[in-house]
């Protein structure tokens, strides 16, 4: 039987290798921009501009004009017959506004300005704080549910904690890579990012529970086997299902990333990274962590670091 769990140290090292650059990027972003991730006008507020052209226009084509002027986080939506566009962008001065309008009319023809005004943030600090509290509340609820669902196996608390650690891993990978993209590609957090991140959390826990549930079934059936063997057996029995399910979703995400248009590119990229991370952490982090806890690897590591005798398991 192929032993996946045996090489758990390499899996944890690989996770650290992925997460560490993201943490460095978030520290750099905090020092440079004041927040770990660059915030869009959904958080900071900006300008609201409504224009009506004589012919229908594509939102992505209109947005390209703003991107060419360095306004990469501009959001463009068409209204009604496709000739009217609603544009949300960062605060701009009158000179920049005149230059943008000139560029738009050169590309799409004459346009009538229907309104231009300053707007407040669509997502305020209270909403962000509420979303953070909701994530913590969800983590506690997940922990309680797993403890209850796995109450017939030894140490159900460990299952819940390992699932939460895998979820935190996925959050760090996703936010870390987004922070790196914010520094090098100018990506900024908007309402869609929050939606994608919450979806990633759901995917992460769901995939982990699939593997844990097979361990729960196998523990009473194979009482004579070491816990590590039971865990590895359960992992091998579910890995095909996990990979097949997640790969289907990943292929769809890649197709949307390539052909879905620029307006949803960051949303799809966040979902894709989170989905890949969730699949990896469920198989190579959450389950091996159970074995680490069962065998007391962490206690032995700390004992060696203190120069004492390893604890007896």
């Amino acid at each position: 039987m192929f032993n996946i769990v045996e090489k758990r140290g390499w899996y944890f090292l690989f996770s650290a290798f992925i997460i560490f650059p993201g943490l460095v990027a978030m520290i750099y972003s905090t020092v440079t921009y004041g927040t770990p991730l660059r915030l869009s006008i959904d958080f900071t507020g900006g300008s609201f501009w409504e224009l009506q052209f004589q012919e229908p226009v594509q939102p992505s084509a209109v947005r390209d004009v703003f991107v060419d002027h360095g306004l990469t986080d501009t959001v463009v939506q068409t209204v009604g017959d496709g000739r009217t566009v609603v544009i949300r962008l960062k605060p701009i001065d009158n000179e920049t506004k005149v230059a943008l309008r000139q560029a738009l009319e050169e590309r799409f023809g004459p346009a009538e300005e229907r309104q231009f005004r300053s707007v407040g943030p669509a997502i305020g600090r209270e909403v962000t704080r509420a979303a953070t509290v909701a994530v913590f509340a969800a983590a506690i609820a997940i922990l309680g549910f797993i403890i209850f669902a796995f109450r017939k196996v030894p140490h159900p608390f460990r299952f819940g904690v390992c699932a939460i650690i895998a979820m935190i891993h996925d959050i760090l990978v996703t936010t870390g890579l987004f922070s790196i993209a914010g520094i090098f590609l100018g990506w900024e957090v908007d309402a869609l990012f929050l939606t994608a991140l919450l979806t990633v959390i759901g995917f992460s826990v769901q995939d982990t529970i699939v593997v844990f549930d097979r361990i729960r079934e196998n523990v009473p059936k194979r009482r004579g086997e070491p816990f590590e063997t039971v865990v590895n057996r359960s992992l091998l029995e579910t890995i095909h299902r996990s990979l097949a399910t997640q790969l289907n979703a990943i292929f769809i995400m890649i197709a949307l990333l390539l052909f879905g248009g620029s307006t949803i590119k960051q949303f799809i990229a966040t979902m894709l990274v989170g989905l890949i991370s969730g699949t990896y952490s469920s198989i190579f982090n959450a389950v091996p962590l159970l074995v680490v806890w069962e065998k007391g690897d962490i206690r032995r590591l700390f004992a060696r670091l203190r120069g004492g005798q390893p604890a007896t398991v």
Side-chain angles (χ1 to χ4, degrees), residues 36 180 225 257 283 309 313:
I180 294 172
E225 290 186 354
L257 189 64
I283 298 172
Q309 293 297 321
V313 181

Side-chain angles (χ1 to χ4, degrees), residues 11-32:
Y11 309 145
F12 300 149
L13 189 63
F14 181 74
S15 291
F17 179 76
I18 296 295
I19 290 173
F20 182 73
L23 292 177
V24 173
M26 284 192 275
I27 293 171
Y28 175 83
S29 182
T30 302
V31 173
T32 307

Side-chain angles (χ1 to χ4, degrees), residues 1-172:
M1 183 170 60
F2 184 70
N3 196 335
I4 296 178
V5 180
E6 184 182 30
K7 298 178 175 57
R8 51 189 175 275
W10 289 104
Y11 309 145
F12 300 149
L13 189 63
F14 181 74
S15 291
F17 179 76
I18 296 295
I19 290 173
F20 182 73
L23 292 177
V24 173
M26 284 192 275
I27 293 171
Y28 175 83
S29 182
T30 302
V31 173
T32 307
Y33 308 112
T35 53
L37 304 171
R38 294 182 65 176
L39 303 179
S40 72
I41 60 173
D42 283 350
F43 290 87
T44 62
S47 300
F48 181 93
W49 199 4
E50 184 175 350
L51 294 170
Q52 186 176 58
F53 295 91
Q54 294 181 352
E55 299 293 335
V57 294
Q58 292 296 323
S60 58
V62 175
R63 183 177 179 275
D64 288 343
V65 174
F66 290 84
V67 172
D68 292 341
H69 284 74
L71 300 167
T72 56
D73 62 336
T74 300
V75 178
V76 180
Q77 295 173 301
T78 54
V79 179
D81 56 4
R83 295 188 298 124
T84 303
V85 293
V86 171
I87 305 160
R88 289 175 61 90
L89 69 161
K90 283 187 172 179
I92 55 173
D93 55 29
N94 189 58
E95 184 179 349
T96 305
K97 180 188 171 189
V98 171
L100 285 168
R101 180 159 183 175
Q102 184 178 359
L104 288 168
E105 291 186 336
E106 286 177 356
R107 186 161 178 180
F108 304 107
E112 176 189 352
E113 180 178 293
R114 307 189 72 172
Q115 58 175 318
F116 180 85
R117 56 188 169 87
S118 298
V119 296
I123 303 174
R125 291 185 177 180
E126 292 183 2
V127 176
T128 306
R129 192 182 303 116
T132 305
V133 171
V135 170
F136 279 106
I140 294 172
I142 291 167
L143 180 63
F145 169 75
I146 292 179
I147 291 174
F148 176 77
F150 291 80
R151 63 189 182 281
K152 293 185 179 179
V153 298
H155 311 299
F157 178 75
R158 296 178 181 179
F159 286 78
V161 172
C162 291
I164 298 300
I165 292 174
M167 185 183 78
I168 294 172
H169 168 279
D170 300 337
I171 293 174
L172 289 176

Side-chain angles (χ1 to χ4, degrees), residues 174-190:
T174 307
T175 53
L177 290 179
F178 203 93
S179 182
I180 294 172
I183 294 172
F184 292 102
L185 302 176
W187 286 15
E188 297 183 339
V189 173
D190 56 11

